[in-house]
Structure formats: C-alpha cells, structure tokens
Amino acid sequence: MGRRSLALVAALLAAGVARAQPASDSSKDEARSLFKEANKLAASGEHRRALERFRAAYALFPSPKILLNMGTTLRALGENIEALGVYQRVLAGGAADLSDKERALVEKSLAELRAALARVTIEVNEAGATLLLDGLEVGTSPLASELWVQP
C-alpha cells in the first residue's frame, strides 16, 4: 500500500505541474496518439504498458478523459488505492468535460472502491515526527491525514 500511496502523491504533484503549462498543438497531437495506443494496449490486456502510455499522454495534455482511462487501467491491475485517487481527481478537476455516462462510471467506480478499501485517519501533533506506513514515509508532523488502505 505504501508504494501505491507514494506513487499517487508523485502523480498528483506531476499533474499540478502539467496543468500549469498550456499544451501546444503538437503536445495535444502526441497525447492523442499515446491515448489511442494506450486504449489498444488495454483492450488487448496489456494493462501495465497501457498505463505507461496514459500517464505519458496525461503529462502532455491533462484531460479528465485520460484520467478516467488511467483509473480503469489501475483497477484492472489491482492498484485500487491509486485508482481511487485518480477517480477523485477526475471529479475534482474536470467532471464538466465528461459525458453523463462517463461521470456515472466514475461515481460508480468510486463507490465500489470505497466499499472495498479501508480508511485510516492519522493525527500526529508532535512536531518533526516522521510517519511511516508499511515502512514508507507518508509525511512529517504536524500532520492530519486520511489514507486509504487495502484491508
């Protein structure tokens, strides 16, 4: 779980950087090409490679539709905690760009994931304490955090 949550934090930070810079037409074209390739890979069951392509496409052109496909691919890989975070980002940042059917899919997926995962609330008020979960650093106090974990 710890590695997944750290990967999600890295992905969130990368997404913030990607959104700060508008995409050029060539970036959009390259993202579109990567997106199509990723969909073909996912359809053929090559989910790990598809995920790499979706991430590369999103880095070039941050789109909620790319995130939606990333979430679906993460679920196919059993990376449910990261999928939950990706689906939450879809609704938080670009749900207006989704069709009603896509939005309903995201909401259904979130409900299923929340039912399958456990939530842990951690509060640390001792300054400078390092919080580890599954041997990996989650943060430094003071800290109030809610984490999703695999039961």
Side-chain angles (χ1 to χ4, degrees):
M1 189 317 269
R3 289 184 184 133
R4 291 181 191 148
S5 62
L6 290 177
L8 177 60
V9 170
L12 289 170
L13 292 174
V17 171
R19 288 179 187 210
Q21 303 167 349
S24 67
D25 287 340
S26 63
S27 293
K28 288 179 187 179
D29 291 341
E30 187 176 347
R32 187 176 296 116
S33 176
L34 286 164
F35 182 75
K36 288 178 182 178
E37 183 182 354
N39 280 322
K40 287 179 187 175
L41 288 166
S44 68
E46 295 185 62
H47 300 293
R48 186 65 56 196
R49 290 180 59 210
L51 182 59
E52 292 170 8
R53 300 310 188 285
F54 284 132
R55 286 183 171 150
Y58 189 79
L60 291 169
F61 184 72
S63 157
K65 292 185 187 229
I66 296 172
L67 278 181
L68 173 59
N69 286 22
M70 282 173 55
T72 303
T73 303
L74 285 162
R75 284 190 79 184
L77 289 166
E79 303 285 343
N80 293 331
I81 295 166
E82 190 174 354
L84 178 86
V86 168
Y87 285 133
Q88 289 172 329
R89 287 173 45 207
V90 170
L91 291 183
D97 295 338
L98 300 176
S99 69
D100 290 341
K101 183 178 177 181
E102 290 167 329
R103 192 174 306 105
L105 173 65
V106 172
E107 290 170 356
K108 179 179 182 238
S109 296
L110 278 169
E112 291 170 355
L113 288 166
R114 287 178 179 136
L117 297 171
R119 191 170 38 191
V120 176
T121 301
I122 300 170
E123 293 182 34
V124 181
N125 59 10
E126 182 179 326
T130 300
L131 175 65
L132 302 176
L133 182 64
D134 292 339
L136 297 172
E137 187 174 330
V138 175
T140 304
S141 66
L143 175 74
S145 184
E146 184 174 274
L147 303 170
W148 288 93
V149 295
Q150 197 72 42

